[in-house]
Amino acid sequence: MKRFAKAAALSMCFSAATACSGRPAFQPVKPPAERLVCETRGVRPALPPEYAIDWSTVTTVEQARAEHQRYVASIRTREGVVAGYVLKVEDKLFICANNAQWLREFFGALPD
């Protein structure tokens, strides 16, 4: 009797699985494609070389001031490149985080 019950249950399982053909009863909810965007940070920019003062050639205060101004200008140029890259990365990170928050709210509002 137990063998018959097991065989019947097993055959019902297979017949139930093959009886469903066609479209599934549900369709997955797809968020908009523009909300699935997370860009990579990109390639780091090359930094211009830092100006090196050759103090052995500086003999006057005016020369020292001019050399120092060139040095400061080279540092400011390097800082500008770094700051631009940081802003670009922060922008991409903000877009990605904003989209992630939107997706959490979108899927959180769906019925269970």
Side-chain angles (χ1 to χ4, degrees), residues 42-107:
V43 180
R44 288 183 177 178
L47 293 177
E50 184 178 298
Y51 182 74
I53 300 174
D54 183 11
W55 290 108
S56 64
T57 61
V58 176
T59 57
T60 65
V61 173
E62 291 78 25
Q63 283 179 325
R65 284 186 182 146
E67 290 291 313
H68 183 260
Q69 287 175 348
R70 281 191 217 115
Y71 170 76
V72 170
S74 75
I75 294 299
R76 297 295 179 252
T77 302
R78 291 168 58 93
E79 289 173 349
V81 172
V82 171
Y85 177 69
V86 167
L87 289 175
K88 186 190 313 181
V89 169
E90 283 184 347
D91 183 46
K92 290 179 180 184
L93 182 61
F94 174 77
I95 291 170
C96 187
N98 191 30
N99 286 342
Q101 179 62 34
W102 188 91
L103 289 170
R104 281 191 294 275
E105 292 170 0
F106 176 77
F107 285 115

Coordinates of all heavy atoms in Angstrom, one line a residue, residues 42-107:
G42 N 36.4 55.6 -14.0 CA 37.2 56.0 -15.1 C 38.7 55.9 -14.9 O 39.1 55.5 -13.8
V43 N 39.4 56.5 -15.8 CA 40.9 56.4 -15.7 C 41.4 57.7 -14.9 O 40.9 58.8 -15.1 CB 41.5 56.4 -17.1 CG1 43.0 56.4 -17.0 CG2 41.0 55.2 -17.9
R44 N 42.3 57.4 -14.0 CA 42.9 58.6 -13.3 C 43.7 59.5 -14.3 O 44.4 59.0 -15.2 CB 43.9 58.1 -12.2 CG 43.2 57.5 -11.1 CD 44.2 57.1 -10.0 NE 43.5 56.5 -8.9 CZ 44.1 56.1 -7.8 NH1 45.4 56.1 -7.7 NH2 43.4 55.6 -6.8
P45 N 43.6 60.8 -14.1 CA 44.3 61.7 -15.0 C 45.8 61.7 -14.7 O 46.2 61.4 -13.6 CB 43.6 63.0 -14.8 CG 43.2 62.9 -13.4 CD 42.7 61.5 -13.2
A46 N 46.6 62.0 -15.7 CA 48.0 62.2 -15.5 C 48.2 63.5 -14.9 O 47.7 64.5 -15.3 CB 48.7 62.0 -16.8
L47 N 49.1 63.6 -13.9 CA 49.4 64.9 -13.2 C 50.6 65.5 -13.9 O 51.6 64.8 -14.2 CB 49.7 64.6 -11.7 CG 48.6 64.2 -10.9 CD1 49.1 63.9 -9.4 CD2 47.4 65.2 -10.8
P48 N 50.5 66.8 -14.1 CA 51.7 67.5 -14.7 C 52.8 67.5 -13.6 O 52.6 67.4 -12.4 CB 51.2 68.9 -14.9 CG 50.0 69.1 -14.1 CD 49.4 67.7 -13.9
P49 N 54.0 67.5 -14.1 CA 55.1 67.5 -13.1 C 55.2 68.7 -12.2 O 54.8 69.8 -12.6 CB 56.4 67.4 -14.1 CG 55.9 68.0 -15.3 CD 54.5 67.7 -15.5
E50 N 55.7 68.4 -11.0 CA 55.8 69.5 -10.1 C 57.1 70.2 -10.4 O 58.1 69.6 -10.7 CB 55.9 68.9 -8.7 CG 56.0 69.9 -7.5 CD 56.0 69.2 -6.2 OE1 55.0 68.5 -5.9 OE2 57.0 69.3 -5.5
Y51 N 57.1 71.5 -10.3 CA 58.2 72.3 -10.6 C 59.2 72.2 -9.5 O 58.9 72.3 -8.3 CB 57.8 73.8 -10.8 CG 59.0 74.7 -11.1 CD1 59.6 74.7 -12.4 CD2 59.5 75.6 -10.2 CE1 60.6 75.5 -12.7 CE2 60.6 76.4 -10.5 CZ 61.1 76.3 -11.8 OH 62.2 77.1 -12.1
A52 N 60.5 71.9 -9.8 CA 61.5 71.8 -8.8 C 62.4 73.0 -8.8 O 63.0 73.3 -9.9 CB 62.3 70.5 -9.0
I53 N 62.6 73.6 -7.7 CA 63.4 74.8 -7.7 C 64.9 74.4 -7.5 O 65.2 73.6 -6.6 CB 63.0 75.7 -6.5 CG1 61.6 76.2 -6.6 CG2 64.0 76.9 -6.4 CD1 61.1 77.0 -5.4
D54 N 65.7 74.9 -8.4 CA 67.2 74.6 -8.2 C 67.8 75.8 -7.4 O 68.1 76.8 -8.0 CB 67.8 74.5 -9.6 CG 69.3 74.2 -9.6 OD1 69.7 73.8 -8.5 OD2 69.9 74.3 -10.6
W55 N 67.9 75.5 -6.2 CA 68.3 76.6 -5.3 C 69.8 77.0 -5.5 O 70.3 78.1 -5.1 CB 68.1 76.2 -3.8 CG 66.7 76.2 -3.5 CD1 65.9 75.1 -3.2 CD2 65.8 77.3 -3.3 NE1 64.6 75.5 -2.9 CE2 64.5 76.8 -3.0 CE3 66.0 78.7 -3.4 CZ2 63.4 77.7 -2.8 CZ3 64.9 79.5 -3.2 CH2 63.6 79.0 -2.9
S56 N 70.5 76.1 -6.2 CA 72.0 76.4 -6.4 C 72.1 77.6 -7.4 O 73.2 78.2 -7.4 CB 72.7 75.2 -6.9 OG 72.2 74.8 -8.1
T57 N 71.1 77.8 -8.2 CA 71.2 78.9 -9.2 C 70.6 80.2 -8.7 O 70.7 81.2 -9.4 CB 70.5 78.5 -10.5 OG1 69.2 78.2 -10.3 CG2 71.2 77.2 -11.1
V58 N 69.8 80.1 -7.6 CA 69.2 81.3 -7.1 C 70.2 82.2 -6.3 O 70.8 81.7 -5.4 CB 67.9 80.9 -6.3 CG1 67.3 82.2 -5.7 CG2 67.0 80.2 -7.1
T59 N 70.3 83.4 -6.7 CA 71.3 84.3 -6.0 C 70.6 85.5 -5.4 O 71.2 86.1 -4.5 CB 72.4 84.7 -7.0 OG1 71.8 85.3 -8.1 CG2 73.2 83.5 -7.4
T60 N 69.4 85.9 -5.9 CA 68.8 87.1 -5.4 C 67.4 86.8 -4.9 O 66.8 85.8 -5.1 CB 68.7 88.2 -6.5 OG1 67.8 87.7 -7.5 CG2 70.0 88.5 -7.1
V61 N 66.9 87.7 -4.1 CA 65.5 87.6 -3.6 C 64.5 87.6 -4.7 O 63.5 86.8 -4.7 CB 65.2 88.7 -2.6 CG1 63.8 88.7 -2.1 CG2 66.1 88.7 -1.4
E62 N 64.7 88.4 -5.7 CA 63.8 88.5 -6.9 C 63.8 87.1 -7.6 O 62.7 86.6 -8.0 CB 64.2 89.6 -7.8 CG 64.0 91.0 -7.3 CD 65.1 91.4 -6.4 OE1 66.2 90.9 -6.4 OE2 64.8 92.3 -5.5
Q63 N 64.9 86.5 -7.8 CA 64.9 85.2 -8.4 C 64.2 84.1 -7.5 O 63.5 83.3 -8.0 CB 66.4 84.7 -8.6 CG 67.1 85.3 -9.7 CD 68.5 84.8 -9.8 OE1 69.2 84.6 -8.8 NE2 69.0 84.7 -11.0
A64 N 64.4 84.2 -6.2 CA 63.7 83.3 -5.3 C 62.2 83.5 -5.4 O 61.5 82.5 -5.4 CB 64.2 83.5 -3.9
R65 N 61.8 84.7 -5.4 CA 60.3 84.9 -5.5 C 59.8 84.4 -6.9 O 58.7 83.8 -6.9 CB 60.0 86.4 -5.4 CG 60.1 86.9 -4.0 CD 59.7 88.4 -4.0 NE 59.8 88.9 -2.6 CZ 60.2 90.1 -2.2 NH1 60.4 91.0 -3.2 NH2 60.3 90.4 -1.0
A66 N 60.5 84.6 -7.9 CA 60.1 84.1 -9.2 C 60.0 82.6 -9.3 O 59.1 82.0 -9.8 CB 61.0 84.6 -10.3
E67 N 61.1 82.0 -8.7 CA 61.1 80.5 -8.6 C 59.9 80.0 -7.8 O 59.3 79.0 -8.1 CB 62.4 80.0 -8.1 CG 63.6 80.2 -9.0 CD 63.5 79.3 -10.2 OE1 63.3 78.1 -10.1 OE2 63.7 79.9 -11.3
H68 N 59.7 80.6 -6.7 CA 58.6 80.2 -5.8 C 57.3 80.4 -6.5 O 56.4 79.5 -6.3 CB 58.6 81.0 -4.5 CG 57.6 80.6 -3.5 ND1 56.4 81.2 -3.3 CD2 57.6 79.5 -2.7 CE1 55.7 80.6 -2.4 NE2 56.4 79.6 -2.0
Q69 N 57.1 81.4 -7.2 CA 55.8 81.6 -8.0 C 55.6 80.5 -9.0 O 54.5 80.0 -9.2 CB 55.8 83.0 -8.6 CG 55.6 84.1 -7.6 CD 55.7 85.5 -8.2 OE1 56.1 85.7 -9.4 NE2 55.3 86.5 -7.5
R70 N 56.7 80.1 -9.7 CA 56.6 79.0 -10.6 C 56.2 77.7 -9.9 O 55.4 76.9 -10.4 CB 57.9 78.9 -11.4 CG 58.1 79.9 -12.5 CD 59.2 79.5 -13.4 NE 59.9 80.7 -13.8 CZ 61.1 81.1 -13.5 NH1 61.9 80.3 -12.8 NH2 61.5 82.3 -13.9
Y71 N 56.8 77.5 -8.8 CA 56.5 76.3 -8.0 C 55.1 76.3 -7.6 O 54.4 75.3 -7.7 CB 57.5 76.2 -6.8 CG 57.1 75.2 -5.8 CD1 57.3 73.8 -6.1 CD2 56.4 75.5 -4.6 CE1 56.9 72.8 -5.2 CE2 56.0 74.5 -3.7 CZ 56.3 73.2 -4.0 OH 55.9 72.2 -3.1
V72 N 54.6 77.4 -7.0 CA 53.2 77.5 -6.6 C 52.2 77.3 -7.8 O 51.2 76.6 -7.7 CB 52.9 78.8 -5.9 CG1 51.4 79.1 -5.6 CG2 53.7 78.9 -4.5
A73 N 52.6 77.9 -8.9 CA 51.7 77.7 -10.1 C 51.7 76.3 -10.5 O 50.6 75.8 -10.9 CB 52.3 78.6 -11.3
S74 N 52.8 75.5 -10.4 CA 52.8 74.1 -10.8 C 51.9 73.3 -9.8 O 51.2 72.4 -10.2 CB 54.2 73.6 -10.9 OG 54.7 73.3 -9.6
I75 N 52.0 73.7 -8.5 CA 51.2 73.0 -7.5 C 49.7 73.3 -7.8 O 48.9 72.3 -7.7 CB 51.6 73.4 -6.1 CG1 53.0 73.0 -5.8 CG2 50.7 72.9 -5.1 CD1 53.2 71.5 -5.9
R76 N 49.3 74.5 -8.0 CA 47.9 74.8 -8.3 C 47.4 74.1 -9.5 O 46.2 73.7 -9.5 CB 47.8 76.3 -8.5 CG 48.1 77.2 -7.3 CD 47.2 76.9 -6.1 NE 47.5 77.7 -4.9 CZ 48.1 77.2 -3.8 NH1 48.3 75.9 -3.7 NH2 48.4 77.9 -2.8
T77 N 48.2 73.9 -10.5 CA 47.8 73.2 -11.7 C 47.5 71.8 -11.4 O 46.5 71.2 -11.8 CB 48.9 73.3 -12.8 OG1 49.1 74.7 -13.1 CG2 48.5 72.6 -14.1
R78 N 48.4 71.2 -10.6 CA 48.2 69.8 -10.2 C 47.0 69.6 -9.3 O 46.2 68.7 -9.5 CB 49.4 69.3 -9.4 CG 50.7 69.1 -10.2 CD 51.9 68.9 -9.4 NE 51.9 67.8 -8.5 CZ 52.3 66.6 -8.8 NH1 52.9 66.4 -10.0 NH2 52.2 65.6 -7.9
E79 N 46.8 70.6 -8.4 CA 45.6 70.5 -7.6 C 44.3 70.7 -8.4 O 43.3 70.0 -8.1 CB 45.6 71.6 -6.5 CG 46.7 71.4 -5.4 CD 46.8 72.6 -4.5 OE1 46.3 73.7 -4.8 OE2 47.5 72.4 -3.5
G80 N 44.3 71.5 -9.4 CA 43.2 71.6 -10.3 C 42.8 70.3 -11.0 O 41.6 70.0 -11.1
V81 N 43.8 69.6 -11.4 CA 43.6 68.3 -12.1 C 43.0 67.3 -11.1 O 42.0 66.6 -11.4 CB 44.9 67.8 -12.7 CG1 44.7 66.3 -13.2 CG2 45.3 68.7 -13.8
V82 N 43.5 67.3 -9.9 CA 43.0 66.4 -8.9 C 41.6 66.7 -8.5 O 40.7 65.9 -8.4 CB 44.0 66.3 -7.6 CG1 43.3 65.6 -6.5 CG2 45.3 65.7 -8.0
A83 N 41.3 68.0 -8.3 CA 40.0 68.5 -7.9 C 39.0 68.1 -9.0 O 37.9 67.7 -8.7 CB 40.0 70.0 -7.6
G84 N 39.3 68.3 -10.2 CA 38.4 68.0 -11.3 C 38.1 66.5 -11.3 O 36.9 66.1 -11.5
Y85 N 39.1 65.7 -11.1 CA 38.9 64.2 -11.1 C 38.0 63.8 -9.9 O 37.1 63.0 -10.0 CB 40.2 63.5 -11.0 CG 40.1 62.0 -10.9 CD1 39.6 61.2 -11.9 CD2 40.4 61.3 -9.7 CE1 39.5 59.9 -11.8 CE2 40.3 60.0 -9.6 CZ 39.8 59.2 -10.7 OH 39.7 57.9 -10.6
V86 N 38.2 64.4 -8.7 CA 37.4 64.1 -7.5 C 36.0 64.5 -7.8 O 35.0 63.8 -7.4 CB 38.0 64.8 -6.3 CG1 37.0 64.8 -5.1 CG2 39.3 64.2 -5.9
L87 N 35.7 65.7 -8.4 CA 34.3 66.1 -8.7 C 33.7 65.1 -9.7 O 32.5 64.8 -9.5 CB 34.3 67.5 -9.2 CG 34.6 68.6 -8.2 CD1 34.7 69.9 -8.9 CD2 33.6 68.6 -7.1
K88 N 34.4 64.6 -10.6 CA 33.9 63.7 -11.6 C 33.5 62.4 -10.9 O 32.4 61.8 -11.1 CB 34.9 63.4 -12.7 CG 34.3 62.6 -13.8 CD 35.3 62.1 -14.9 CE 36.2 63.1 -15.4 NZ 37.2 62.6 -16.4
V89 N 34.4 61.9 -10.0 CA 34.1 60.6 -9.3 C 32.9 60.8 -8.4 O 32.0 60.0 -8.3 CB 35.3 60.2 -8.6 CG1 35.0 59.0 -7.6 CG2 36.4 59.7 -9.5
E90 N 32.8 62.0 -7.7 CA 31.7 62.2 -6.8 C 30.4 62.3 -7.6 O 29.4 61.8 -7.1 CB 31.9 63.5 -6.0 CG 32.9 63.4 -4.9 CD 33.0 64.6 -4.1 OE1 32.6 65.7 -4.5 OE2 33.6 64.6 -3.0
D91 N 30.4 62.9 -8.7 CA 29.2 63.0 -9.6 C 28.7 61.6 -9.9 O 27.5 61.3 -9.8 CB 29.5 63.8 -10.8 CG 28.2 64.0 -11.7 OD1 27.2 64.3 -11.1 OD2 28.3 63.8 -12.9
K92 N 29.6 60.7 -10.4 CA 29.3 59.3 -10.7 C 28.8 58.6 -9.5 O 27.8 57.8 -9.6 CB 30.4 58.6 -11.4 CG 30.8 59.2 -12.7 CD 32.0 58.5 -13.3 CE 32.3 59.0 -14.7 NZ 33.4 58.3 -15.4
L93 N 29.4 58.8 -8.4 CA 29.0 58.1 -7.2 C 27.6 58.6 -6.7 O 26.8 57.8 -6.3 CB 30.0 58.3 -6.0 CG 29.7 57.7 -4.7 CD1 29.7 56.1 -4.9 CD2 30.8 58.1 -3.7
F94 N 27.3 59.9 -6.8 CA 26.0 60.4 -6.5 C 24.9 59.8 -7.4 O 23.9 59.5 -6.9 CB 26.0 62.0 -6.6 CG 24.7 62.5 -6.4 CD1 24.2 62.7 -5.1 CD2 23.9 63.0 -7.4 CE1 22.9 63.2 -4.9 CE2 22.6 63.5 -7.2 CZ 22.1 63.6 -5.9
I95 N 25.2 59.8 -8.7 CA 24.2 59.2 -9.6 C 23.9 57.7 -9.2 O 22.8 57.3 -9.2 CB 24.7 59.3 -11.1 CG1 24.7 60.8 -11.5 CG2 23.8 58.5 -12.0 CD1 25.4 61.1 -12.8
C96 N 25.0 57.0 -9.0 CA 24.8 55.6 -8.6 C 24.0 55.4 -7.3 O 23.1 54.6 -7.2 CB 26.2 54.9 -8.5 SG 26.1 53.1 -8.3
A97 N 24.4 56.2 -6.3 CA 23.7 56.1 -5.0 C 22.3 56.6 -5.1 O 21.4 56.0 -4.5 CB 24.5 57.0 -3.9
N98 N 22.0 57.6 -5.9 CA 20.7 58.1 -6.1 C 19.8 57.1 -6.8 O 18.6 56.8 -6.4 CB 20.7 59.4 -6.9 CG 19.4 60.1 -7.0 OD1 18.6 60.1 -6.0 ND2 19.1 60.8 -8.1
N99 N 20.4 56.4 -7.8 CA 19.6 55.3 -8.5 C 19.4 54.1 -7.5 O 18.3 53.5 -7.6 CB 20.4 54.8 -9.7 CG 20.3 55.8 -10.8 OD1 19.5 56.7 -10.8 ND2 21.2 55.7 -11.8
A100 N 20.4 53.8 -6.7 CA 20.2 52.7 -5.7 C 19.0 53.1 -4.7 O 18.2 52.2 -4.4 CB 21.5 52.4 -5.0
Q101 N 19.0 54.3 -4.3 CA 17.9 54.7 -3.4 C 16.6 54.6 -4.1 O 15.6 54.2 -3.5 CB 18.2 56.1 -2.8 CG 17.1 56.6 -1.9 CD 17.0 55.8 -0.6 OE1 17.9 55.3 -0.1 NE2 15.8 55.6 -0.1
W102 N 16.5 55.1 -5.3 CA 15.3 55.0 -6.1 C 14.8 53.6 -6.2 O 13.6 53.3 -6.1 CB 15.5 55.7 -7.4 CG 14.2 55.9 -8.2 CD1 13.3 56.9 -8.1 CD2 13.6 54.9 -9.1 NE1 12.3 56.7 -9.0 CE2 12.4 55.5 -9.5 CE3 13.9 53.6 -9.5 CZ2 11.5 54.8 -10.4 CZ3 13.1 53.0 -10.4 CH2 11.9 53.6 -10.8
L103 N 15.7 52.7 -6.5 CA 15.4 51.3 -6.7 C 14.9 50.7 -5.4 O 13.9 49.9 -5.4 CB 16.6 50.5 -7.2 CG 16.9 50.7 -8.7 CD1 18.3 50.1 -9.0 CD2 15.8 50.2 -9.6
R104 N 15.5 51.0 -4.3 CA 15.0 50.5 -3.0 C 13.6 51.0 -2.7 O 12.7 50.2 -2.3 CB 15.9 51.0 -1.8 CG 17.2 50.2 -1.7 CD 17.9 50.6 -0.4 NE 18.4 51.9 -0.4 CZ 19.6 52.3 -0.9 NH1 20.4 51.5 -1.5 NH2 20.0 53.6 -0.8
E105 N 13.3 52.3 -3.0 CA 11.9 52.8 -2.8 C 11.0 52.1 -3.8 O 9.8 51.8 -3.5 CB 11.9 54.3 -3.0 CG 12.7 55.0 -1.9 CD 12.9 56.5 -2.1 OE1 12.5 57.0 -3.2 OE2 13.5 57.1 -1.2
F106 N 11.4 51.9 -5.1 CA 10.6 51.4 -6.1 C 10.2 49.9 -5.7 O 9.0 49.6 -5.8 CB 11.4 51.4 -7.4 CG 10.6 50.7 -8.6 CD1 9.6 51.3 -9.2 CD2 11.0 49.4 -9.0 CE1 8.9 50.7 -10.3 CE2 10.3 48.8 -10.1 CZ 9.3 49.5 -10.7
F107 N 11.1 49.1 -5.4 CA 10.8 47.7 -5.0 C 10.2 47.6 -3.7 O 9.4 46.7 -3.4 CB 12.1 46.8 -5.1 CG 12.5 46.5 -6.5 CD1 13.7 47.0 -7.0 CD2 11.7 45.8 -7.3 CE1 14.1 46.7 -8.3 CE2 12.1 45.5 -8.6 CZ 13.3 46.0 -9.1

